Amino acid sequence: MPRFALALAAALTLLGSAAGQSYPIKIKSVKIGFPHGPNPTQRDDDQTGSYVCKANTWAPVYVELQVERKEKRDLAIVLETTDPDDLGTSVAVPLQNLSDVEPGTILSAAELAFLPCVRIGGRELTVTVREREPAGANPTGGRQVAEPKRLSYVRSRDTSTYVVLSLGSRLPGFEVPAEPKAKDDYRPAKVEQAVIDNPFLLPDRWYGYDGADLVVLATGSASVPNFLTPLFTNPQHKPRLDALVEWIRRGGRVVVSVGSNAGIVASFPLLQEILPMQVRKDAPNEQVKNLLLEWVLAANNTTKTKQHGTLIAKTGTFSVANFAPQPGRGARQIVPPVDTVRENARLAVVQAPYGLGRVTLVGFDLDRSPFLDHPEKAQVWEQILRECGSERATQSGNKNNYGNYGGVVEDELATDIRQHTDSFASVPVISFGWVAVFIVLYTLLIGPVEYFVLKKVFKRLELTWITFPIIVLTVSAIAYFSAYALKGSDMKVNKVDLLDIDPATNRIYGHTWFTVFSPRIDTYKVGVEPSERWAAGGQGSSLVDWAGAGSGRKSSFFRRSYFYQLAQPGDATAGTFSDGLVNVPIQVWSTKAFAADWSGQSDRQAPLVASELNHPPAKPDDVVGTFTLNLPFPELQDVYLIYAGEAYKWDAITSGVPVNAYLDRSKLEPDWLRKLSSLSGFVNQPNVNPRSGTATKVSTGLAPIFAAMFHDEAQRNEDTAAPRNATLRRLDQSWRLSTLHRDEILVIGRVPIVRDQPAEDLMTDPASPSPTKLWLRDLPVSGKKREPQQGTLQQETFVRVYVPVKPFKK
């Protein structure tokens, strides 16, 4: 007892010392997500508006620090949270050198060298400052120099919330209709505005915009010279500008409104490059008295034109932008509609792709009068959200998503893909009936049987001290080796790849989902790199991440952890290692699901796509010519050619063989997307059991990727259906299926499935259908040889090619 009392006193003393320890850095505040707009839907404990972040998505983290003592060591901000399997995750972001910072100095989030980002899988987040560890080391192992800041309830919005992020302007007057005006109108969903009006608060990694569904860059505000000019001219903001542009290229949607400050916009070459049409440098804007707002609305496969009034200056005139065509690029005219162009109607809204992204240029100021005084501005904003972001931007969301207060619901399409990759047909599943039988037999063995043998045969009950552990060890060994024999000793991987090939920019965008089945208790380093056949010059930019939905439970005290290895742009270590996950634990005969986004340049000397498609001068809406897909695998199956909103069923395309793009009307398939979506088991076509009355989805065993490619279009006839692709909206290219989209042909198809083949052979074979290589023992670093992949691999590859169609050349 005296020893116990002494030990307890020593422990309390140590705890007291730790509690009273003075750290050189103090964390004053932590905010997760984008700064809220004028009308936040949630509030923090202090009743201030909660920053806008969404469950299961990456979000910027704004940390405010106070320097208590001078600190000469290299430091990093470390963020710790959990993933869907209740495993701890951590990510570290370097701090700038603080050796010259005077004690008492407060460093706001805008003054930090890098902006931290985190993906919230649960509802907790711990932020601290530690001594910076070398690349590849666990960031939580560094010496702690700040008391941790723990957030027990991260107030995340559910994934169905449609977030409109405004840059540089607070968008006064932003609103959508609160109630439907007619029975057939859409009822607005959870649309929320966020605002970043300081360029130093912009994310410096492209996935920092993961939670934004639509970005609005309104250039009419008086604060724009303090935002727009530094962003596009100050070299200090280059990582932030690069991150925004890369997010757009990877499928982001952005609206740029230009009016009174058109001259400023015209002076930025990069912004001019992104826009669907250039702002004329010689005459950037013009003064007008009024501007008619007329849109084409699509509903129930019919189109109708609707006027949202006329912008009229209260006094005098107002500024509108003058546009000029982009060299070599086409643009889709939105306002006024092409088919209803009135005499002397001014071009007001145009749209065009930028990579996989969707860029809309509005030729008047959305943040100044006369638009702010327009009586139908709410209807115009709703039309902008649907026409420039997603048709279902204002559609009702999933009411079962409880955000941060309950289980975090994963959107349906992401769940379908994850469950598909998590299904290993070659791994037998032992039914609960057999498990119950063995439990009963085991209970009988260690109970009545053992008692009877010791009592009646040996007549020495004390031998139970020997027989009991022998029985337990023997039965455990039999169970283990039986399961080992049934489940096998090979690692198994199910992998699905979606490739977006954009010849216009010579870039490839890859989306990879895969699940690892581990035959033993082990830890893995997880990296993904494109094959040399797809990305010339080696490693492309990638993000490797977990897949799934957070449980929302309190984290376990004894949980295991792994960490992200992420290079920061401009940091000294940026080129020394590749992004990935380190020390990911997977239990014996268990699975772990992952996802990755990567991008790379194709070889210009050997392009993947050679296009000779043109618009004939006599019929400028038609297409003539050929194109060739020089893909690394032999053949593309289930091929469709899509032009001007119509799909043509095509024969299989052989790599290297020219395709004559004569669009024979007899090959038209009006119901093509429903067929593909049904094939993937996505669109809810119930297969009803006549006896039980239960309904299940129809599926033929393919991953539901076609539905992700064109989600909004797949649901066009389901007016009341909620969006099912909340975390995969960047993949949706439904807007390119417009009848007015005539500057490219979309080619979609897939490669035949390869099931349970040696993994290394599949990833290294020159004709392999796998466009990516997995690293499970190390991370892909330039010059390092990848350890051969053991086990088997099931590979599914889907392809989407954007073949350009150019004006006819004489």
Side-chain angles (χ1 to χ4, degrees), residues 626-645:
T626 64
F627 66 90
T628 305
L629 302 184
N630 301 307
L631 304 180
F633 35 74
E635 189 177 75
L636 200 64
Q637 297 182 351
D638 288 342
V639 177
Y640 286 82
L641 267 60
I642 305 169
Y643 176 69

PDB file of all heavy atoms in Angstrom, residues 626-645:
ATOM      1  N   THR A 626     -12.162  11.685 -89.284  1.00  0.00           N
ATOM      2  CA  THR A 626     -11.796  10.494 -88.518  1.00  0.00           C
ATOM      3  C   THR A 626     -11.050  10.885 -87.255  1.00  0.00           C
ATOM      4  O   THR A 626     -10.531  11.995 -87.133  1.00  0.00           O
ATOM      5  CB  THR A 626     -10.906   9.556 -89.351  1.00  0.00           C
ATOM      6  OG1 THR A 626      -9.670  10.230 -89.654  1.00  0.00           O
ATOM      7  CG2 THR A 626     -11.586   9.123 -90.634  1.00  0.00           C
ATOM      8  N   PHE A 627     -10.997   9.938 -86.328  1.00  0.00           N
ATOM      9  CA  PHE A 627     -10.150  10.078 -85.144  1.00  0.00           C
ATOM     10  C   PHE A 627      -9.582   8.704 -84.823  1.00  0.00           C
ATOM     11  O   PHE A 627     -10.140   7.667 -85.213  1.00  0.00           O
ATOM     12  CB  PHE A 627     -10.918  10.644 -83.945  1.00  0.00           C
ATOM     13  CG  PHE A 627     -11.988   9.739 -83.408  1.00  0.00           C
ATOM     14  CD1 PHE A 627     -11.719   8.807 -82.406  1.00  0.00           C
ATOM     15  CD2 PHE A 627     -13.293   9.818 -83.885  1.00  0.00           C
ATOM     16  CE1 PHE A 627     -12.704   7.974 -81.901  1.00  0.00           C
ATOM     17  CE2 PHE A 627     -14.295   8.988 -83.392  1.00  0.00           C
ATOM     18  CZ  PHE A 627     -13.990   8.056 -82.402  1.00  0.00           C
ATOM     19  N   THR A 628      -8.465   8.702 -84.103  1.00  0.00           N
ATOM     20  CA  THR A 628      -7.786   7.462 -83.750  1.00  0.00           C
ATOM     21  C   THR A 628      -7.466   7.476 -82.265  1.00  0.00           C
ATOM     22  O   THR A 628      -6.935   8.474 -81.755  1.00  0.00           O
ATOM     23  CB  THR A 628      -6.484   7.284 -84.547  1.00  0.00           C
ATOM     24  OG1 THR A 628      -6.774   7.365 -85.942  1.00  0.00           O
ATOM     25  CG2 THR A 628      -5.842   5.931 -84.248  1.00  0.00           C
ATOM     26  N   LEU A 629      -7.815   6.406 -81.574  1.00  0.00           N
ATOM     27  CA  LEU A 629      -7.467   6.245 -80.168  1.00  0.00           C
ATOM     28  C   LEU A 629      -6.242   5.333 -80.079  1.00  0.00           C
ATOM     29  O   LEU A 629      -6.316   4.156 -80.425  1.00  0.00           O
ATOM     30  CB  LEU A 629      -8.629   5.634 -79.382  1.00  0.00           C
ATOM     31  CG  LEU A 629      -9.966   6.394 -79.407  1.00  0.00           C
ATOM     32  CD1 LEU A 629     -10.976   5.702 -78.499  1.00  0.00           C
ATOM     33  CD2 LEU A 629      -9.785   7.848 -79.001  1.00  0.00           C
ATOM     34  N   ASN A 630      -5.129   5.887 -79.669  1.00  0.00           N
ATOM     35  CA  ASN A 630      -3.888   5.117 -79.510  1.00  0.00           C
ATOM     36  C   ASN A 630      -3.736   4.703 -78.049  1.00  0.00           C
ATOM     37  O   ASN A 630      -2.830   5.151 -77.345  1.00  0.00           O
ATOM     38  CB  ASN A 630      -2.691   5.947 -79.974  1.00  0.00           C
ATOM     39  CG  ASN A 630      -2.814   6.363 -81.423  1.00  0.00           C
ATOM     40  OD1 ASN A 630      -3.028   5.532 -82.295  1.00  0.00           O
ATOM     41  ND2 ASN A 630      -2.696   7.655 -81.673  1.00  0.00           N
ATOM     42  N   LEU A 631      -4.670   3.877 -77.590  1.00  0.00           N
ATOM     43  CA  LEU A 631      -4.705   3.482 -76.187  1.00  0.00           C
ATOM     44  C   LEU A 631      -3.775   2.294 -75.947  1.00  0.00           C
ATOM     45  O   LEU A 631      -3.591   1.453 -76.834  1.00  0.00           O
ATOM     46  CB  LEU A 631      -6.136   3.129 -75.782  1.00  0.00           C
ATOM     47  CG  LEU A 631      -7.178   4.228 -76.032  1.00  0.00           C
ATOM     48  CD1 LEU A 631      -8.553   3.766 -75.588  1.00  0.00           C
ATOM     49  CD2 LEU A 631      -6.793   5.519 -75.347  1.00  0.00           C
ATOM     50  N   PRO A 632      -3.206   2.198 -74.746  1.00  0.00           N
ATOM     51  CA  PRO A 632      -2.280   1.092 -74.467  1.00  0.00           C
ATOM     52  C   PRO A 632      -2.918  -0.289 -74.503  1.00  0.00           C
ATOM     53  O   PRO A 632      -2.224  -1.270 -74.681  1.00  0.00           O
ATOM     54  CB  PRO A 632      -1.755   1.425 -73.060  1.00  0.00           C
ATOM     55  CG  PRO A 632      -1.941   2.889 -72.919  1.00  0.00           C
ATOM     56  CD  PRO A 632      -3.198   3.192 -73.673  1.00  0.00           C
ATOM     57  N   PHE A 633      -4.232  -0.387 -74.298  1.00  0.00           N
ATOM     58  CA  PHE A 633      -4.859  -1.699 -74.354  1.00  0.00           C
ATOM     59  C   PHE A 633      -5.484  -1.915 -75.731  1.00  0.00           C
ATOM     60  O   PHE A 633      -5.759  -0.961 -76.460  1.00  0.00           O
ATOM     61  CB  PHE A 633      -5.901  -1.880 -73.253  1.00  0.00           C
ATOM     62  CG  PHE A 633      -6.662  -0.642 -72.900  1.00  0.00           C
ATOM     63  CD1 PHE A 633      -7.633  -0.143 -73.742  1.00  0.00           C
ATOM     64  CD2 PHE A 633      -6.393   0.026 -71.723  1.00  0.00           C
ATOM     65  CE1 PHE A 633      -8.346   0.992 -73.407  1.00  0.00           C
ATOM     66  CE2 PHE A 633      -7.098   1.167 -71.386  1.00  0.00           C
ATOM     67  CZ  PHE A 633      -8.066   1.650 -72.220  1.00  0.00           C
ATOM     68  N   PRO A 634      -5.708  -3.162 -76.117  1.00  0.00           N
ATOM     69  CA  PRO A 634      -6.082  -3.468 -77.507  1.00  0.00           C
ATOM     70  C   PRO A 634      -7.423  -2.924 -77.952  1.00  0.00           C
ATOM     71  O   PRO A 634      -7.565  -2.493 -79.092  1.00  0.00           O
ATOM     72  CB  PRO A 634      -6.080  -5.008 -77.537  1.00  0.00           C
ATOM     73  CG  PRO A 634      -5.303  -5.439 -76.345  1.00  0.00           C
ATOM     74  CD  PRO A 634      -5.497  -4.390 -75.318  1.00  0.00           C
ATOM     75  N   GLU A 635      -8.437  -2.939 -77.066  1.00  0.00           N
ATOM     76  CA  GLU A 635      -9.793  -2.695 -77.550  1.00  0.00           C
ATOM     77  C   GLU A 635     -10.640  -2.019 -76.484  1.00  0.00           C
ATOM     78  O   GLU A 635     -10.471  -2.238 -75.285  1.00  0.00           O
ATOM     79  CB  GLU A 635     -10.421  -4.034 -77.953  1.00  0.00           C
ATOM     80  CG  GLU A 635     -11.744  -3.921 -78.675  1.00  0.00           C
ATOM     81  CD  GLU A 635     -12.269  -5.278 -79.101  1.00  0.00           C
ATOM     82  OE1 GLU A 635     -12.757  -6.015 -78.213  1.00  0.00           O
ATOM     83  OE2 GLU A 635     -12.175  -5.601 -80.289  1.00  0.00           O
ATOM     84  N   LEU A 636     -11.574  -1.203 -76.959  1.00  0.00           N
ATOM     85  CA  LEU A 636     -12.551  -0.539 -76.105  1.00  0.00           C
ATOM     86  C   LEU A 636     -13.927  -1.083 -76.469  1.00  0.00           C
ATOM     87  O   LEU A 636     -14.316  -1.085 -77.637  1.00  0.00           O
ATOM     88  CB  LEU A 636     -12.495   0.973 -76.321  1.00  0.00           C
ATOM     89  CG  LEU A 636     -13.082   1.868 -75.228  1.00  0.00           C
ATOM     90  CD1 LEU A 636     -12.308   1.713 -73.930  1.00  0.00           C
ATOM     91  CD2 LEU A 636     -13.045   3.337 -75.677  1.00  0.00           C
ATOM     92  N   GLN A 637     -14.672  -1.550 -75.456  1.00  0.00           N
ATOM     93  CA  GLN A 637     -15.981  -2.157 -75.684  1.00  0.00           C
ATOM     94  C   GLN A 637     -17.098  -1.281 -75.121  1.00  0.00           C
ATOM     95  O   GLN A 637     -16.841  -0.292 -74.439  1.00  0.00           O
ATOM     96  CB  GLN A 637     -16.039  -3.550 -75.038  1.00  0.00           C
ATOM     97  CG  GLN A 637     -15.060  -4.549 -75.626  1.00  0.00           C
ATOM     98  CD  GLN A 637     -15.196  -5.919 -74.995  1.00  0.00           C
ATOM     99  OE1 GLN A 637     -15.896  -6.102 -74.004  1.00  0.00           O
ATOM    100  NE2 GLN A 637     -14.519  -6.907 -75.567  1.00  0.00           N
ATOM    101  N   ASP A 638     -18.353  -1.687 -75.415  1.00  0.00           N
ATOM    102  CA  ASP A 638     -19.536  -0.933 -74.977  1.00  0.00           C
ATOM    103  C   ASP A 638     -19.381   0.544 -75.320  1.00  0.00           C
ATOM    104  O   ASP A 638     -19.598   1.429 -74.482  1.00  0.00           O
ATOM    105  CB  ASP A 638     -19.773  -1.101 -73.477  1.00  0.00           C
ATOM    106  CG  ASP A 638     -20.268  -2.473 -73.112  1.00  0.00           C
ATOM    107  OD1 ASP A 638     -20.754  -3.174 -74.011  1.00  0.00           O
ATOM    108  OD2 ASP A 638     -20.164  -2.849 -71.932  1.00  0.00           O
ATOM    109  N   VAL A 639     -19.004   0.811 -76.560  1.00  0.00           N
ATOM    110  CA  VAL A 639     -18.645   2.163 -76.979  1.00  0.00           C
ATOM    111  C   VAL A 639     -19.881   2.942 -77.417  1.00  0.00           C
ATOM    112  O   VAL A 639     -20.753   2.414 -78.127  1.00  0.00           O
ATOM    113  CB  VAL A 639     -17.618   2.117 -78.128  1.00  0.00           C
ATOM    114  CG1 VAL A 639     -17.296   3.530 -78.623  1.00  0.00           C
ATOM    115  CG2 VAL A 639     -16.349   1.412 -77.669  1.00  0.00           C
ATOM    116  N   TYR A 640     -19.931   4.204 -77.001  1.00  0.00           N
ATOM    117  CA  TYR A 640     -20.934   5.152 -77.479  1.00  0.00           C
ATOM    118  C   TYR A 640     -20.222   6.424 -77.909  1.00  0.00           C
ATOM    119  O   TYR A 640     -19.300   6.894 -77.235  1.00  0.00           O
ATOM    120  CB  TYR A 640     -21.949   5.487 -76.384  1.00  0.00           C
ATOM    121  CG  TYR A 640     -22.949   4.388 -76.104  1.00  0.00           C
ATOM    122  CD1 TYR A 640     -22.620   3.329 -75.284  1.00  0.00           C
ATOM    123  CD2 TYR A 640     -24.223   4.419 -76.676  1.00  0.00           C
ATOM    124  CE1 TYR A 640     -23.540   2.317 -75.030  1.00  0.00           C
ATOM    125  CE2 TYR A 640     -25.149   3.413 -76.424  1.00  0.00           C
ATOM    126  CZ  TYR A 640     -24.794   2.371 -75.601  1.00  0.00           C
ATOM    127  OH  TYR A 640     -25.702   1.369 -75.355  1.00  0.00           O
ATOM    128  N   LEU A 641     -20.656   6.978 -79.040  1.00  0.00           N
ATOM    129  CA  LEU A 641     -20.211   8.293 -79.475  1.00  0.00           C
ATOM    130  C   LEU A 641     -21.348   9.267 -79.213  1.00  0.00           C
ATOM    131  O   LEU A 641     -22.488   9.035 -79.650  1.00  0.00           O
ATOM    132  CB  LEU A 641     -19.856   8.288 -80.970  1.00  0.00           C
ATOM    133  CG  LEU A 641     -18.394   8.023 -81.339  1.00  0.00           C
ATOM    134  CD1 LEU A 641     -17.950   6.662 -80.837  1.00  0.00           C
ATOM    135  CD2 LEU A 641     -18.185   8.139 -82.845  1.00  0.00           C
ATOM    136  N   ILE A 642     -21.063  10.332 -78.482  1.00  0.00           N
ATOM    137  CA  ILE A 642     -22.096  11.282 -78.069  1.00  0.00           C
ATOM    138  C   ILE A 642     -21.786  12.633 -78.681  1.00  0.00           C
ATOM    139  O   ILE A 642     -20.686  13.189 -78.490  1.00  0.00           O
ATOM    140  CB  ILE A 642     -22.153  11.395 -76.535  1.00  0.00           C
ATOM    141  CG1 ILE A 642     -22.355  10.012 -75.908  1.00  0.00           C
ATOM    142  CG2 ILE A 642     -23.271  12.335 -76.110  1.00  0.00           C
ATOM    143  CD1 ILE A 642     -22.172   9.989 -74.416  1.00  0.00           C
ATOM    144  N   TYR A 643     -22.745  13.149 -79.427  1.00  0.00           N
ATOM    145  CA  TYR A 643     -22.571  14.451 -80.078  1.00  0.00           C
ATOM    146  C   TYR A 643     -23.890  15.211 -80.030  1.00  0.00           C
ATOM    147  O   TYR A 643     -24.950  14.676 -80.363  1.00  0.00           O
ATOM    148  CB  TYR A 643     -22.116  14.274 -81.527  1.00  0.00           C
ATOM    149  CG  TYR A 643     -22.002  15.573 -82.283  1.00  0.00           C
ATOM    150  CD1 TYR A 643     -20.998  16.491 -81.968  1.00  0.00           C
ATOM    151  CD2 TYR A 643     -22.903  15.889 -83.291  1.00  0.00           C
ATOM    152  CE1 TYR A 643     -20.891  17.685 -82.655  1.00  0.00           C
ATOM    153  CE2 TYR A 643     -22.807  17.092 -83.988  1.00  0.00           C
ATOM    154  CZ  TYR A 643     -21.803  17.989 -83.661  1.00  0.00           C
ATOM    155  OH  TYR A 643     -21.703  19.180 -84.331  1.00  0.00           O
ATOM    156  N   ALA A 644     -23.812  16.463 -79.587  1.00  0.00           N
ATOM    157  CA  ALA A 644     -24.983  17.347 -79.524  1.00  0.00           C
ATOM    158  C   ALA A 644     -26.139  16.692 -78.775  1.00  0.00           C
ATOM    159  O   ALA A 644     -27.301  16.779 -79.177  1.00  0.00           O
ATOM    160  CB  ALA A 644     -25.415  17.770 -80.922  1.00  0.00           C
ATOM    161  N   GLY A 645     -25.825  15.989 -77.687  1.00  0.00           N
ATOM    162  CA  GLY A 645     -26.847  15.414 -76.833  1.00  0.00           C
ATOM    163  C   GLY A 645     -27.415  14.094 -77.316  1.00  0.00           C
ATOM    164  O   GLY A 645     -28.305  13.547 -76.671  1.00  0.00           O
TER     165      GLY A 645
END
